[in-house]
Amino acid sequence: MKNIDKLMRSFIVELGEESIVSFYDRIPQQGKKLRSKLIFEIAKDSESSFNLAAVIEMIHTASLLHDDVIDDALTRRNANSFNADFGDKSAIMMGDILYSCAFSRLTLLPQSVAESVSKAVASLSAGELLDVELSKSFNTDKERYFKMIYCKTASLIEAASYSAAVLEGFEGRDFALYGKNLGLAFQIIDDVLDITSSDKMLGKPALNDFKEGKVTLPYLYMYEKCKEKDKKHMASLHKKSLNSYENAWIKDKMDKYNIVELCIKEAMAFGVKALSAIEKYNMNGLNNIVRQMVERDF
Ligand code: FPP
Ligand code: MG
């Protein structure tokens, strides 16, 4: 994946502005590059597939720069977030630069690829908007949660998978379905890891979602399972900085109702749906991607 990093940096260097390159070099690195791995499992190495991977990773990085501003997040990938070091205004502008660079490269790819990726970016923004809206109050509507994670996370993975298939001459629809379900599983696991992982493993603060107002799938299931009195108590903890007693209360209820297992089962069901969409292509690498993603611990 080093080549993708080099290619992304070369897009920035081509802008001919040294100050932008030095800001770019300060963006927290070492992401998982799930989207690029996925692209290269589907498409052979070529100028187009490398460009596609760089475009998708740049959009993803841009979205995280903006997301950390929106979430007031001070850490990302075990380092200070870009906004923590340089402020919100610079983080927003750097996101815009990455995003525009990605779009100018996107115009060099086939039209259906450009269309699918552009639509996904609109969807990312709609998902983030819905995430912000849902976080304002205690959301208990699972359908709205699924709509939000589809838009915020799965849509770009869906577009990456579809686009790689188009470059390779495969049926785009099958791979779009694979990417969509992989993306849904990915976000559910992300939401579980917020509860089960440490700050160090995650590279950002753990147990942060509920405090931020995000009622993710584990909390939705916990709410469903709780008795009336506990439902009320849970709602009273929403968006609060929890003390150790309150944290333990939540963890205890999650254990009692096997919430983590329930969520992992749901993520696996999306993984199975993903795999059945591309079964006929016999691509073992795509099975491994689903497995690694469900079994990951950060
Ligand atoms: C992380 O979610 C955020 C995303 C996956 C998408 C964010 C999308 C935007 C800000 C809109 C698109 C903008 C551009 C410039 C393309 P999270 O907060 O649940 O995860 P985290 O815990 O890793 O922060
Ligand atoms: Mg965030």
Side-chain angles (χ1 to χ4, degrees), residues 38 41 50 60 78 93 101 103 118 125 128 156 158 186 204 273 281 296:
L38 170 61
E41 283 298 341
F50 273 94
H60 176 57
N78 271 323
M93 294 322 296
C101 252
F103 264 69
S118 322
S125 307
E128 188 79 353
L156 188 62
E158 175 182 46
F186 179 85
K204 59 188 181 187
K273 264 197 204 168
Y281 298 89
R296 77 199 160 97

Side-chain angles (χ1 to χ4, degrees), residues 64 67-68 70-73 76 128 131 152 204 209 212 214:
L64 294 183
D67 179 67
D68 283 341
I70 293 166
D71 289 346
D72 286 320
R76 168 75 63 189
E128 188 79 353
D131 199 11
K152 181 178 82 166
K204 59 188 181 187
D209 284 343
E212 278 186 348
K214 299 180 182 185

Side-chain angles (χ1 to χ4, degrees), residues 26 82 277:
R26 306 292 295 273
F82 191 88

